[in-house]
Coordinates of all heavy atoms in Angstrom, one line a residue:
M1 N -0.3 0.9 4.9 CA 0.4 -0.4 4.9 C 1.8 -0.2 4.5 O 2.7 -0.9 5.0 CB -0.3 -1.3 3.9 CG 0.4 -2.7 3.7 SD -0.4 -3.8 2.5 CE -1.7 -4.4 3.5
F2 N 2.1 0.7 3.5 CA 3.4 0.9 3.0 C 3.9 2.2 3.5 O 3.2 3.2 3.6 CB 3.5 0.9 1.5 CG 3.1 -0.5 0.9 CD1 1.8 -0.7 0.5 CD2 4.1 -1.5 0.8 CE1 1.4 -2.0 0.0 CE2 3.7 -2.7 0.3 CZ 2.4 -3.0 -0.1
R3 N 5.2 2.3 3.9 CA 5.8 3.5 4.4 C 7.2 3.6 3.9 O 7.9 2.6 3.7 CB 5.6 3.4 5.9 CG 6.3 4.2 6.7 CD 5.8 3.9 8.2 NE 6.6 2.9 8.8 CZ 7.7 3.1 9.5 NH1 8.1 4.4 9.7 NH2 8.4 2.2 10.1
R4 N 7.6 4.8 3.6 CA 9.0 5.0 3.1 C 10.0 4.8 4.2 O 9.7 5.1 5.4 CB 9.1 6.4 2.5 CG 8.3 6.5 1.3 CD 8.6 7.9 0.6 NE 7.8 8.0 -0.6 CZ 8.0 7.5 -1.7 NH1 9.1 6.8 -1.9 NH2 7.2 7.7 -2.8
S5 N 11.2 4.4 3.9 CA 12.3 4.3 4.8 C 12.7 5.7 5.3 O 12.7 6.7 4.5 CB 13.5 3.6 4.1 OG 14.6 3.8 4.9
D6 N 13.0 5.8 6.5 CA 13.6 7.1 7.1 C 14.9 7.4 6.4 O 15.3 8.6 6.5 CB 13.7 7.0 8.6 CG 12.4 6.8 9.3 OD1 11.4 7.2 8.7 OD2 12.4 6.2 10.4
Q7 N 15.5 6.5 5.8 CA 16.9 6.7 5.2 C 16.7 7.2 3.7 O 17.7 7.5 3.1 CB 17.6 5.4 5.2 CG 17.7 4.7 6.5 CD 18.4 5.5 7.5 OE1 19.5 6.1 7.3 NE2 17.8 5.6 8.7
D8 N 15.5 7.3 3.2 CA 15.3 7.7 1.8 C 15.5 9.2 1.7 O 14.7 10.0 2.1 CB 13.9 7.3 1.4 CG 13.6 7.5 -0.1 OD1 14.5 8.1 -0.8 OD2 12.6 7.0 -0.6
R9 N 16.6 9.6 1.1 CA 16.9 11.0 0.9 C 16.8 11.5 -0.5 O 17.2 12.5 -0.9 CB 18.4 11.2 1.3 CG 18.7 10.7 2.7 CD 18.3 11.8 3.7 NE 18.7 11.4 5.1 CZ 17.9 10.9 6.0 NH1 16.6 10.8 5.8 NH2 18.3 10.6 7.2
R10 N 16.1 10.7 -1.4 CA 15.9 11.1 -2.8 C 15.1 12.4 -2.8 O 14.1 12.5 -2.0 CB 15.3 10.0 -3.6 CG 16.2 8.8 -3.7 CD 15.4 7.6 -4.4 NE 14.3 7.2 -3.6 CZ 13.2 6.6 -4.0 NH1 13.1 6.3 -5.3 NH2 12.3 6.2 -3.2
P11 N 15.3 13.2 -3.8 CA 14.5 14.4 -4.0 C 13.0 14.1 -4.3 O 12.8 13.1 -4.9 CB 15.1 15.1 -5.2 CG 16.5 14.6 -5.3 CD 16.4 13.2 -4.8
S12 N 12.1 14.9 -3.8 CA 10.7 14.6 -4.0 C 10.2 15.4 -5.2 O 10.9 16.3 -5.7 CB 9.9 15.0 -2.8 OG 10.0 16.4 -2.5
L13 N 9.1 14.9 -5.8 CA 8.5 15.6 -6.9 C 7.0 15.4 -6.7 O 6.5 14.5 -5.9 CB 9.0 15.1 -8.2 CG 9.0 13.6 -8.5 CD1 7.6 13.1 -9.0 CD2 10.1 13.2 -9.5
Q14 N 6.2 16.2 -7.5 CA 4.7 16.0 -7.3 C 4.2 15.4 -8.6 O 4.5 15.7 -9.7 CB 4.1 17.4 -7.2 CG 4.4 18.0 -5.8 CD 3.6 19.3 -5.6 OE1 3.3 20.0 -6.6 NE2 3.4 19.7 -4.4
I15 N 3.2 14.5 -8.3 CA 2.4 13.9 -9.4 C 1.0 14.1 -9.0 O 0.7 14.6 -7.9 CB 2.7 12.4 -9.5 CG1 2.4 11.6 -8.2 CG2 4.1 12.1 -10.0 CD1 2.6 10.1 -8.4
F16 N 0.1 13.8 -9.9 CA -1.4 14.0 -9.6 C -2.1 12.7 -9.8 O -1.9 12.0 -10.8 CB -2.0 15.1 -10.5 CG -1.3 16.4 -10.4 CD1 -0.2 16.8 -11.2 CD2 -1.7 17.3 -9.4 CE1 0.5 18.0 -11.0 CE2 -1.1 18.5 -9.2 CZ 0.0 18.8 -10.0
V17 N -2.8 12.3 -8.8 CA -3.5 11.0 -8.8 C -5.0 11.4 -8.7 O -5.5 11.9 -7.6 CB -3.1 10.1 -7.6 CG1 -3.9 8.8 -7.7 CG2 -1.6 9.8 -7.7
D18 N -5.8 11.1 -9.7 CA -7.2 11.5 -9.8 C -7.4 12.9 -9.4 O -8.3 13.3 -8.7 CB -8.0 10.6 -8.9 CG -8.1 9.1 -9.5 OD1 -7.9 9.0 -10.7 OD2 -8.4 8.2 -8.7
G19 N -6.4 13.8 -9.9 CA -6.5 15.2 -9.7 C -6.0 15.7 -8.3 O -6.0 16.9 -8.1
V20 N -5.5 14.8 -7.5 CA -5.0 15.2 -6.2 C -3.5 15.2 -6.2 O -2.9 14.2 -6.7 CB -5.6 14.2 -5.1 CG1 -4.9 14.6 -3.7 CG2 -7.1 14.3 -5.0
T21 N -2.9 16.2 -5.7 CA -1.4 16.2 -5.6 C -0.9 15.2 -4.7 O -1.3 15.0 -3.5 CB -0.9 17.6 -5.1 OG1 -1.5 18.6 -6.0 CG2 0.6 17.7 -5.2
V22 N 0.1 14.4 -5.1 CA 0.7 13.3 -4.3 C 2.3 13.5 -4.4 O 2.8 13.8 -5.5 CB 0.3 11.9 -4.9 CG1 1.2 10.8 -4.2 CG2 -1.2 11.7 -4.6
E23 N 2.9 13.4 -3.3 CA 4.4 13.5 -3.3 C 5.0 12.1 -3.7 O 4.6 11.1 -3.1 CB 4.9 13.9 -2.0 CG 6.4 14.1 -1.9 CD 6.9 14.6 -0.6 OE1 6.4 15.6 -0.1 OE2 7.8 13.9 0.0
A24 N 5.9 12.1 -4.6 CA 6.7 10.9 -5.0 C 8.2 11.2 -4.9 O 8.5 12.4 -4.5 CB 6.3 10.5 -6.4
R25 N 9.0 10.3 -5.1 CA 10.4 10.5 -5.0 C 11.0 10.1 -6.4 O 10.5 9.2 -7.1 CB 11.1 9.6 -4.0 CG 10.5 9.8 -2.6 CD 11.2 11.0 -1.9 NE 10.6 11.4 -0.7 CZ 10.8 10.9 0.5 NH1 11.7 9.9 0.6 NH2 10.2 11.3 1.6
E26 N 12.1 10.8 -6.8 CA 12.8 10.5 -8.0 C 13.2 9.1 -8.0 O 13.7 8.6 -7.0 CB 14.0 11.4 -8.2 CG 13.7 12.8 -8.6 CD 14.9 13.7 -8.8 OE1 16.0 13.1 -8.9 OE2 14.8 14.9 -8.9
G27 N 12.9 8.4 -9.0 CA 13.3 6.9 -9.1 C 12.1 6.0 -8.7 O 12.2 4.8 -9.0
D28 N 11.1 6.5 -8.1 CA 9.9 5.7 -7.9 C 9.3 5.2 -9.2 O 9.3 6.0 -10.2 CB 8.8 6.5 -7.2 CG 9.0 6.7 -5.7 OD1 9.9 6.1 -5.1 OD2 8.2 7.5 -5.1
T29 N 8.7 4.1 -9.2 CA 7.8 3.7 -10.3 C 6.4 4.3 -9.9 O 6.2 4.7 -8.7 CB 7.7 2.2 -10.5 OG1 7.1 1.7 -9.3 CG2 9.0 1.6 -10.8
V30 N 5.5 4.4 -10.8 CA 4.2 4.9 -10.5 C 3.5 4.0 -9.5 O 3.0 4.6 -8.5 CB 3.3 4.9 -11.8 CG1 1.9 5.1 -11.5 CG2 3.8 6.0 -12.8
S31 N 3.7 2.7 -9.6 CA 3.1 1.8 -8.5 C 3.7 2.1 -7.2 O 2.9 2.1 -6.2 CB 3.2 0.4 -8.9 OG 2.5 0.1 -10.1
A32 N 5.0 2.2 -7.1 CA 5.6 2.4 -5.8 C 5.1 3.7 -5.2 O 4.8 3.8 -4.0 CB 7.1 2.4 -5.9
A33 N 5.0 4.8 -6.0 CA 4.5 6.1 -5.5 C 3.1 6.0 -5.0 O 2.7 6.5 -4.0 CB 4.7 7.1 -6.6
L34 N 2.3 5.2 -5.8 CA 0.8 5.1 -5.4 C 0.7 4.3 -4.1 O 0.0 4.7 -3.2 CB 0.1 4.3 -6.5 CG -0.2 5.1 -7.8 CD1 -0.8 4.2 -8.8 CD2 -0.9 6.4 -7.6
L35 N 1.5 3.2 -3.9 CA 1.4 2.5 -2.7 C 1.9 3.3 -1.5 O 1.4 3.2 -0.4 CB 2.2 1.2 -2.8 CG 1.6 0.1 -3.8 CD1 2.5 -1.0 -4.0 CD2 0.2 -0.3 -3.3
A36 N 3.0 4.1 -1.7 CA 3.5 4.9 -0.6 C 2.7 6.1 -0.3 O 2.8 6.7 0.8 CB 4.9 5.4 -1.0
S37 N 1.7 6.4 -1.2 CA 0.9 7.6 -0.9 C -0.1 7.5 0.2 O -0.5 8.5 0.8 CB 0.2 8.0 -2.2 OG -0.9 7.1 -2.4
G38 N -0.4 6.2 0.5 CA -1.4 6.0 1.6 C -2.8 6.2 1.1 O -3.8 6.0 1.8
R39 N -3.0 6.5 -0.2 CA -4.3 6.6 -0.7 C -4.9 5.3 -1.1 O -4.2 4.3 -1.3 CB -4.3 7.5 -2.0 CG -3.9 8.9 -1.7 CD -3.7 9.7 -3.0 NE -4.9 9.6 -3.9 CZ -6.0 10.2 -3.9 NH1 -6.1 11.2 -2.9 NH2 -7.0 10.1 -4.7
D40 N -6.2 5.2 -1.3 CA -6.9 4.0 -1.8 C -6.6 4.0 -3.3 O -7.2 4.8 -4.1 CB -8.3 4.0 -1.5 CG -9.0 2.8 -2.0 OD1 -8.4 1.9 -2.7 OD2 -10.3 2.6 -1.8
V41 N -5.7 3.1 -3.8 CA -5.3 3.1 -5.2 C -5.7 1.8 -5.9 O -5.2 1.4 -6.8 CB -3.8 3.3 -5.3 CG1 -3.4 4.7 -4.9 CG2 -3.0 2.3 -4.6
R42 N -6.8 1.2 -5.3 CA -7.3 -0.1 -5.9 C -8.0 0.2 -7.2 O -8.9 1.0 -7.3 CB -8.3 -0.8 -5.0 CG -7.6 -1.4 -3.7 CD -8.6 -1.9 -2.8 NE -9.3 -0.7 -2.2 CZ -10.3 -0.9 -1.3 NH1 -10.7 -2.0 -0.9 NH2 -10.9 0.2 -0.8
R43 N -7.5 -0.5 -8.3 CA -8.2 -0.4 -9.5 C -9.3 -1.4 -9.5 O -9.4 -2.3 -8.6 CB -7.3 -0.6 -10.7 CG -6.9 -2.1 -10.9 CD -6.1 -2.2 -12.2 NE -5.7 -3.6 -12.4 CZ -6.4 -4.4 -13.2 NH1 -7.5 -4.0 -13.8 NH2 -6.1 -5.7 -13.4
E44 N -10.2 -1.4 -10.5 CA -11.3 -2.4 -10.7 C -11.0 -3.1 -12.0 O -10.8 -2.5 -13.0 CB -12.6 -1.8 -10.6 CG -13.0 -1.1 -9.3 CD -14.3 -0.4 -9.3 OE1 -15.0 -0.4 -10.4 OE2 -14.6 0.2 -8.3
T45 N -11.2 -4.5 -11.9 CA -10.9 -5.3 -13.2 C -12.1 -5.0 -14.2 O -13.2 -4.6 -13.8 CB -10.9 -6.8 -12.9 OG1 -12.1 -7.2 -12.3 CG2 -9.7 -7.1 -11.9
A46 N -11.7 -5.2 -15.4 CA -12.7 -4.9 -16.5 C -13.9 -5.9 -16.5 O -15.0 -5.4 -16.9 CB -12.0 -5.0 -17.9
V47 N -13.7 -7.1 -16.1 CA -14.8 -8.1 -16.3 C -15.7 -8.1 -15.0 O -16.9 -7.9 -15.1 CB -14.3 -9.5 -16.6 CG1 -15.4 -10.5 -16.6 CG2 -13.5 -9.5 -17.9
S48 N -15.1 -8.3 -13.8 CA -15.9 -8.5 -12.6 C -16.0 -7.3 -11.7 O -16.8 -7.2 -10.8 CB -15.4 -9.7 -11.8 OG -14.1 -9.4 -11.3
G49 N -15.1 -6.3 -12.0 CA -15.0 -5.2 -11.1 C -14.3 -5.5 -9.8 O -14.3 -4.7 -8.9
A50 N -13.6 -6.6 -9.7 CA -12.8 -7.0 -8.5 C -11.7 -6.0 -8.2 O -11.1 -5.5 -9.2 CB -12.3 -8.4 -8.6
P51 N -11.4 -5.7 -7.0 CA -10.4 -4.7 -6.7 C -9.0 -5.4 -6.8 O -8.8 -6.6 -6.6 CB -10.6 -4.4 -5.2 CG -11.3 -5.6 -4.7 CD -12.1 -6.1 -5.8
R52 N -8.0 -4.6 -7.3 CA -6.7 -5.1 -7.5 C -5.7 -4.0 -7.1 O -5.9 -2.8 -7.3 CB -6.4 -5.4 -9.0 CG -7.1 -6.6 -9.5 CD -6.6 -7.9 -9.0 NE -7.1 -9.0 -9.6 CZ -8.2 -9.7 -9.2 NH1 -8.9 -9.2 -8.1 NH2 -8.7 -10.7 -9.8
L53 N -4.6 -4.4 -6.5 CA -3.4 -3.6 -6.2 C -2.2 -4.1 -6.9 O -2.2 -5.3 -7.2 CB -3.2 -3.6 -4.7 CG -4.0 -2.7 -3.8 CD1 -3.7 -3.0 -2.3 CD2 -3.8 -1.2 -4.1
P54 N -1.2 -3.3 -7.1 CA 0.0 -3.8 -7.7 C 0.5 -5.0 -6.8 O 0.5 -4.9 -5.6 CB 1.0 -2.6 -7.6 CG 0.1 -1.4 -7.6 CD -1.1 -1.8 -6.9
Y55 N 1.0 -6.0 -7.5 CA 1.4 -7.2 -6.8 C 2.8 -7.6 -7.0 O 3.6 -7.7 -6.1 CB 0.4 -8.3 -7.2 CG 0.7 -9.6 -6.5 CD1 0.5 -9.8 -5.1 CD2 1.1 -10.8 -7.2 CE1 0.7 -11.0 -4.5 CE2 1.3 -12.0 -6.6 CZ 1.1 -12.1 -5.2 OH 1.4 -13.3 -4.6
C56 N 3.2 -7.9 -8.2 CA 4.5 -8.5 -8.5 C 5.6 -7.4 -8.6 O 6.7 -7.6 -8.3 CB 4.5 -9.3 -9.8 SG 4.4 -8.3 -11.3
M57 N 5.2 -6.2 -9.0 CA 6.1 -5.0 -9.1 C 7.2 -5.3 -10.1 O 8.3 -4.7 -10.1 CB 6.7 -4.6 -7.8 CG 5.7 -4.2 -6.7 SD 4.7 -2.8 -7.2 CE 5.8 -1.4 -6.7
M58 N 7.0 -6.2 -11.1 CA 8.0 -6.5 -12.1 C 7.4 -6.8 -13.4 O 8.1 -7.5 -14.3 CB 8.9 -7.6 -11.6 CG 8.2 -8.9 -11.4 SD 9.5 -10.1 -10.8 CE 8.5 -11.6 -10.8
G59 N 6.2 -6.4 -13.7 CA 5.7 -6.5 -15.0 C 5.0 -7.8 -15.4 O 4.8 -8.0 -16.6
V60 N 4.7 -8.6 -14.5 CA 4.2 -10.0 -14.8 C 2.6 -10.0 -14.6 O 1.9 -10.6 -15.4 CB 4.9 -11.0 -14.0 CG1 4.3 -12.4 -14.2 CG2 6.4 -11.1 -14.3
C61 N 2.1 -9.5 -13.5 CA 0.7 -9.8 -13.1 C -0.3 -8.9 -13.7 O -1.5 -9.2 -13.8 CB 0.6 -9.8 -11.6 SG 0.7 -8.1 -10.9
F62 N 0.1 -7.7 -14.2 CA -0.8 -6.7 -14.7 C -1.9 -6.2 -13.8 O -2.9 -5.7 -14.2 CB -1.5 -7.2 -16.0 CG -0.6 -7.3 -17.2 CD1 0.4 -8.3 -17.3 CD2 -0.6 -6.3 -18.2 CE1 1.3 -8.3 -18.4 CE2 0.3 -6.4 -19.3 CZ 1.2 -7.4 -19.3
D63 N -1.7 -6.4 -12.5 CA -2.6 -5.9 -11.5 C -2.4 -4.4 -11.2 O -3.2 -3.8 -10.4 CB -2.5 -6.6 -10.2 CG -3.3 -8.0 -10.3 OD1 -4.2 -8.1 -11.1 OD2 -3.0 -8.8 -9.4
C64 N -1.5 -3.8 -11.9 CA -1.1 -2.4 -11.6 C -1.6 -1.4 -12.7 O -1.1 -0.3 -12.7 CB 0.4 -2.3 -11.4 SG 1.3 -2.8 -12.9
L65 N -2.5 -1.8 -13.6 CA -2.9 -1.0 -14.7 C -3.5 0.3 -14.3 O -4.3 0.4 -13.4 CB -3.9 -1.8 -15.6 CG -3.4 -3.0 -16.2 CD1 -4.5 -3.7 -17.0 CD2 -2.1 -2.8 -17.1
V66 N -3.0 1.4 -14.8 CA -3.4 2.7 -14.6 C -3.4 3.5 -15.9 O -2.9 3.1 -16.9 CB -2.5 3.5 -13.5 CG1 -2.7 2.9 -12.2 CG2 -1.1 3.5 -14.0
T67 N -4.1 4.7 -15.8 CA -4.1 5.6 -16.9 C -3.0 6.7 -16.6 O -3.1 7.3 -15.5 CB -5.4 6.3 -17.1 OG1 -6.4 5.2 -17.5 CG2 -5.4 7.3 -18.3
I68 N -2.1 6.8 -17.5 CA -1.0 7.8 -17.2 C -1.0 8.8 -18.4 O -0.9 8.4 -19.5 CB 0.4 7.1 -17.2 CG1 0.4 6.0 -16.0 CG2 1.5 8.1 -17.0 CD1 1.7 5.2 -16.0
D69 N -1.1 10.0 -18.0 CA -1.2 11.1 -19.0 C -2.1 10.8 -20.1 O -1.8 11.0 -21.3 CB 0.2 11.5 -19.5 CG 1.1 12.1 -18.4 OD1 0.6 12.7 -17.5 OD2 2.4 11.9 -18.5
G70 N -3.3 10.3 -19.7 CA -4.4 10.0 -20.7 C -4.3 8.7 -21.5 O -5.1 8.4 -22.3
V71 N -3.3 7.9 -21.2 CA -3.1 6.6 -21.9 C -3.4 5.5 -20.9 O -2.7 5.4 -19.9 CB -1.7 6.5 -22.5 CG1 -1.5 5.1 -23.2 CG2 -1.4 7.6 -23.4
G72 N -4.5 4.7 -21.2 CA -4.9 3.7 -20.3 C -4.1 2.4 -20.5 O -3.2 2.2 -21.4
N73 N -4.3 1.5 -19.5 CA -3.7 0.2 -19.5 C -2.1 0.2 -19.4 O -1.5 -0.6 -20.0 CB -4.1 -0.7 -20.7 CG -5.5 -1.3 -20.4 OD1 -6.1 -1.1 -19.4 ND2 -5.9 -2.0 -21.5
R74 N -1.6 1.2 -18.7 CA -0.2 1.3 -18.6 C 0.2 0.5 -17.3 O -0.5 0.6 -16.3 CB 0.3 2.7 -18.4 CG 0.0 3.7 -19.6 CD 0.8 3.4 -20.8 NE 2.3 3.4 -20.5 CZ 3.1 4.5 -20.5 NH1 2.6 5.7 -20.6 NH2 4.4 4.3 -20.3
Q75 N 1.3 -0.2 -17.3 CA 1.7 -1.0 -16.1 C 2.5 0.0 -15.2 O 3.6 0.3 -15.5 CB 2.6 -2.1 -16.6 CG 1.8 -3.3 -17.2 CD 2.7 -4.4 -17.6 OE1 3.3 -4.3 -18.7 NE2 2.9 -5.4 -16.8
G76 N 1.8 0.4 -14.2 CA 2.5 1.4 -13.3 C 3.8 0.9 -12.7 O 4.6 1.7 -12.3
C77 N 4.0 -0.4 -12.5 CA 5.2 -0.9 -11.9 C 6.4 -0.8 -12.8 O 7.5 -0.9 -12.4 CB 5.0 -2.3 -11.4 SG 4.9 -3.5 -12.8
L78 N 6.2 -0.5 -14.1 CA 7.3 -0.4 -15.1 C 7.5 1.1 -15.5 O 8.5 1.3 -16.3 CB 7.0 -1.2 -16.3 CG 6.7 -2.7 -16.0 CD1 6.4 -3.4 -17.4 CD2 8.0 -3.3 -15.4
V79 N 6.8 2.0 -15.1 CA 6.9 3.4 -15.5 C 7.4 4.3 -14.4 O 6.8 4.4 -13.4 CB 5.5 3.9 -16.0 CG1 5.7 5.4 -16.5 CG2 4.9 3.0 -17.1
P80 N 8.6 4.9 -14.6 CA 9.1 5.8 -13.6 C 8.3 7.1 -13.5 O 7.8 7.6 -14.5 CB 10.5 6.1 -14.0 CG 10.7 5.6 -15.4 CD 9.5 4.8 -15.7
V81 N 8.1 7.6 -12.3 CA 7.3 8.9 -12.2 C 8.1 10.0 -12.8 O 9.3 10.0 -12.9 CB 7.0 9.2 -10.7 CG1 6.1 8.2 -10.1 CG2 8.3 9.4 -9.9
A82 N 7.4 11.0 -13.2 CA 7.9 12.3 -13.7 C 7.1 13.4 -13.1 O 5.9 13.3 -12.8 CB 7.9 12.4 -15.2
A83 N 7.8 14.5 -12.8 CA 7.1 15.7 -12.2 C 5.9 16.1 -13.1 O 5.9 16.2 -14.3 CB 8.0 16.8 -12.1
G84 N 4.7 16.3 -12.4 CA 3.5 16.7 -13.1 C 2.7 15.6 -13.8 O 1.7 15.9 -14.4
M85 N 3.2 14.4 -13.6 CA 2.5 13.2 -14.3 C 1.0 13.1 -13.8 O 0.8 13.3 -12.6 CB 3.3 12.0 -14.0 CG 2.8 10.7 -14.6 SD 3.9 9.3 -14.2 CE 5.0 9.3 -15.6
Q86 N 0.1 12.9 -14.7 CA -1.3 12.8 -14.4 C -1.7 11.3 -14.4 O -1.6 10.6 -15.4 CB -2.2 13.5 -15.4 CG -1.8 15.0 -15.5 CD -2.5 15.8 -14.4 OE1 -3.4 15.4 -13.8 NE2 -1.9 17.0 -14.2
I87 N -2.1 10.8 -13.2 CA -2.4 9.4 -13.1 C -3.9 9.2 -12.7 O -4.3 9.9 -11.8 CB -1.5 8.7 -12.1 CG1 0.0 8.8 -12.5 CG2 -1.9 7.2 -11.8 CD1 0.9 8.6 -11.4
E88 N -4.5 8.3 -13.4 CA -5.9 8.0 -13.0 C -6.0 6.5 -12.6 O -5.5 5.7 -13.4 CB -6.9 8.3 -14.1 CG -6.9 9.8 -14.5 CD -7.7 10.0 -15.8 OE1 -8.8 9.5 -16.0 OE2 -7.1 10.6 -16.7
I89 N -6.7 6.2 -11.5 CA -6.9 4.9 -11.1 C -8.0 4.3 -12.1 O -9.1 4.8 -12.1 CB -7.3 4.8 -9.7 CG1 -6.3 5.5 -8.8 CG2 -7.5 3.3 -9.3 CD1 -4.9 4.9 -8.8
Q90 N -7.7 3.2 -12.7 CA -8.7 2.6 -13.7 C -9.8 1.9 -13.0 O -9.6 1.1 -12.1 CB -8.0 1.7 -14.6 CG -7.2 2.3 -15.7 CD -6.8 1.4 -16.9 OE1 -5.9 1.8 -17.6 NE2 -7.4 0.3 -17.1
K91 N -11.0 2.2 -13.4 CA -12.2 1.6 -12.9 C -12.8 0.8 -14.1 O -13.4 1.4 -15.0 CB -13.2 2.6 -12.3 CG -12.6 3.4 -11.2 CD -12.3 2.6 -10.0 CE -11.8 3.5 -8.9 NZ -11.2 2.8 -7.8
G92 N -12.5 -0.5 -14.2 CA -13.0 -1.2 -15.3 C -12.0 -1.1 -16.5 O -10.9 -0.8 -16.3
K93 N -12.5 -1.4 -17.7 CA -11.7 -1.4 -18.9 C -11.3 0.1 -19.3 O -12.0 1.0 -18.9 CB -12.3 -2.1 -20.0 CG -13.6 -1.4 -20.5 CD -14.3 -2.3 -21.5 CE -15.7 -1.7 -21.8 NZ -16.5 -2.6 -22.6
R94 N -10.2 0.2 -20.0 CA -9.8 1.5 -20.5 C -10.7 2.0 -21.5 O -11.4 1.2 -22.2 CB -8.4 1.4 -21.0 CG -8.2 0.9 -22.4 CD -6.8 0.9 -22.9 NE -6.7 2.0 -23.9 CZ -5.9 2.0 -24.9 NH1 -5.0 1.0 -25.0 NH2 -5.8 2.9 -25.7
E95 N -10.8 3.3 -21.6 CA -11.7 3.9 -22.6 C -11.0 4.0 -23.9 O -9.8 4.4 -23.9 CB -12.2 5.3 -22.1 CG -13.0 5.2 -20.8 CD -13.4 6.5 -20.3 OE1 -13.6 7.5 -21.1 OE2 -13.6 6.7 -19.1
I96 N -11.6 3.7 -25.0 CA -11.1 3.8 -26.3 C -10.8 5.2 -26.7 O -11.7 6.1 -26.4 CB -12.0 3.1 -27.4 CG1 -12.2 1.6 -27.0 CG2 -11.4 3.3 -28.8 CD1 -10.9 0.8 -27.1
G97 N -9.7 5.5 -27.3 CA -9.4 6.9 -27.7 C -8.8 7.8 -26.6 O -8.6 8.9 -26.8
R98 N -8.5 7.1 -25.5 CA -7.8 7.9 -24.5 C -6.4 7.5 -24.4 O -6.0 6.4 -24.6 CB -8.5 7.7 -23.1 CG -9.9 8.2 -23.1 CD -10.4 8.4 -21.7 NE -9.5 9.4 -21.0 CZ -9.4 9.4 -19.7 NH1 -10.0 8.6 -19.0 NH2 -8.7 10.4 -19.2
Ligands
FES101 S1 2.5 -5.1 -10.4 FE1 2.5 -6.9 -11.5 S2 2.7 -6.2 -13.6 FE2 2.8 -4.4 -12.4

């Protein structure tokens, strides 16, 4: 659904999504990189398990919650990617102590 512009010349970097290497670009947010990856990045809500994707991309809707480097409930739309970042798509509520 999402595709990068052919004019995007930013340097690429690698992140890991559920253990799989994904190419991102410097300056991407985690949510932008996930959407551009072409992977199924739908999380599941904690109560009903309904699927969610990043929606507002500005920190309002909380539909972009992911686990980043072992810390759950991070808003992917507000966190810039970094090389080697470990991202897990959340399925349900975050685990305590992670
Ligand atoms: S996409 Fe809405 S808060 Fe992140």
Side-chain angles (χ1 to χ4, degrees):
M1 175 182 283
F2 296 94
R3 164 172 91 92
R4 292 188 183 278
S5 165
D6 295 336
Q7 309 299 314
D8 189 348
R9 305 279 187 255
R10 294 175 294 157
S12 62
L13 53 85
Q14 289 185 336
I15 60 175
F16 299 92
V17 179
D18 291 336
V20 175
T21 304
V22 169
E23 183 180 307
R25 300 279 170 85
E26 285 185 10
D28 279 352
T29 63
V30 168
S31 293
L34 292 176
L35 292 172
S37 73
R39 296 175 48 82
D40 181 357
V41 294
R42 289 173 291 182
R43 74 174 184 95
E44 294 175 2
T45 60
V47 175
S48 69
R52 292 286 189 270
L53 281 172
Y55 180 66
C56 72
M57 301 297 276
M58 60 182 190
V60 176
C61 72
F62 287 75
D63 279 341
C64 59
L65 296 178
V66 290
T67 299
I68 300 174
D69 292 333
V71 180
N73 281 357
R74 302 286 310 276
Q75 287 177 277
C77 70
L78 300 180
V79 179
V81 293
M85 186 176 262
Q86 303 279 339
I87 298 160
E88 296 169 50
I89 305 302
Q90 280 194 202
K91 303 295 184 192
K93 62 187 173 193
R94 76 177 255 209
E95 295 177 32
I96 299 297
R98 293 196 65 203

